[in-house]
Amino acid sequence: GNSVTQMEGPVTLSEEAFLTINCTYTATGYPSLFWYVQYPGEGLQLLLKATKADDKGSNKGFEATYRKETTSFHLEKGSVQVSDSAVYFCALTRRTNAGKSTFGDGTTLTVKP
Amino acid sequence: DTEVTQTPKHLVMGMTNKKSLKCEQHMGHRAMYWYKQKAKKPPELMFVYSYEKLSINESVPSRFSPECPNSSLLNLHLHALQPEDSALYLCASSQAGQGVRSYNSPLHFGNGTRLTVT
């Protein structure tokens, strides 16, 4: 079956530090890959996505590259801010059974001033 | 601002009550979802509607009853819930494809209803 594995949290960084949150997946074929972010008291919102191998998704300074050879979609940001404190979920959707998304367990990021 | 609106934001209900959660979107999406999220966990899929028809029911207990009156609205009727049903209930929508959903299309979530069952 499909699965998504994220690095365990929580992750605590100082402002302006470099961020990497690892995400690897197991799925047949060519899934679409997503990063969602959930701020306290809110629902999830799309951060970025990539739909084929070697695609790079980017948004708000965050980036992730779809690596088919390593089945990975690691999230990076060069300089985090306090406002980036949130829970980050990696997710995939396959062409077949597209109504179901597979989510990772989430990684909690806290950025301290 | 989220484009998927959920009401109420908070709900406290007893185990004998009947209540409903409501969700509305005006993005023209034809796939709509209910998810349940426990603290510090990823969302768990409950139901999917595609073109106003129930497409997926993830073996959810019958005390949860979904309804999709039209392409913009989604309801979740609650009856005889248990304390372990306390959670954040999230509605989402997406573009629908040939199947249930366009698999490249992201989910658009509302901010959820925080449900407490006493």
Side-chain angles (χ1 to χ4, degrees):
Chain A
N2 305 327
S3 67
V4 175
T5 302
Q6 289 182 232
M7 68 184 286
E8 290 190 20
V11 174
T12 302
L13 295 173
S14 297
E15 208 165 21
E16 299 184 3
F18 185 86
L19 169 71
T20 299
I21 300 178
N22 289 339
C23 171
T24 57
Y25 68 89
T26 301
T28 56
Y30 295 88
S32 288
L33 301 174
F34 304 85
W35 276 102
Y36 292 91
V37 59
Q38 186 172 27
Y39 298 104
E42 298 185 7
L44 284 72
Q45 56 184 270
L46 177 70
L47 183 58
L48 51 84
K49 73 173 188 179
T51 58
K52 59 183 188 295
D54 300 324
D55 265 2
K56 177 186 281 189
S58 61
N59 186 25
K60 299 180 182 178
F62 291 89
E63 292 183 341
T65 301
Y66 189 143
R67 301 284 187 203
K68 182 69 176 171
E69 64 276 13
T70 54
T71 61
S72 65
F73 193 53
H74 304 322
L75 182 68
E76 296 183 337
K77 186 175 185 184
S79 176
V80 293
Q81 305 300 311
V82 172
S83 56
D84 294 325
S85 298
V87 182
Y88 292 81
F89 292 97
C90 184
L92 71 81
T93 306
R94 291 182 58 222
R95 184 186 297 272
T96 55
N97 209 8
K100 300 186 181 186
S101 296
T102 301
F103 287 88
D105 285 340
T107 301
T108 300
L109 170 66
T110 301
V111 180
K112 296 191 172 180
Chain B
D1 288 340
T2 181
E3 295 170 325
V4 177
T5 303
Q6 291 188 243
T7 55
K9 287 183 169 45
H10 300 275
L11 178 63
V12 179
M13 61 185 290
M15 289 189 285
T16 58
N17 291 159
K18 286 185 181 181
K19 296 286 185 184
S20 295
L21 309 184
K22 297 186 181 303
C23 174
E24 188 168 4
Q25 59 88 15
H26 294 288
M27 293 178 282
H29 290 165
R30 302 302 294 275
M32 295 186 76
Y33 310 73
W34 281 113
Y35 282 87
K36 173 182 178 181
Q37 187 180 29
K38 290 282 204 178
K40 300 190 186 301
K41 296 291 187 183
E44 301 171 28
L45 183 65
M46 300 175 72
F47 303 103
V48 183
Y49 275 83
S50 180
Y51 297 96
E52 294 87 69
K53 290 186 178 5
L54 184 63
S55 299
I56 297 175
N57 176 344
E58 290 286 89
S59 302
V60 178
S62 61
R63 57 186 184 269
F64 295 91
S65 175
E67 178 194 20
C68 189
N70 60 53
S71 60
S72 300
L73 295 175
L74 187 66
N75 298 323
L76 185 63
H77 303 297
L78 314 173
H79 173 56
L81 295 193
Q82 303 297 310
E84 58 265 28
D85 296 321
S86 298
L88 181 67
Y89 288 83
L90 294 166
C91 174
S93 69
S94 75
Q95 294 179 358
Q98 290 184 342
V100 173
R101 163 189 173 190
S102 169
Y103 82 114
N104 288 336
S105 171
L107 295 166
H108 295 254
F109 287 87
N111 283 332
T113 293
R114 176 75 59 188
L115 174 68
T116 303
V117 182
T118 61

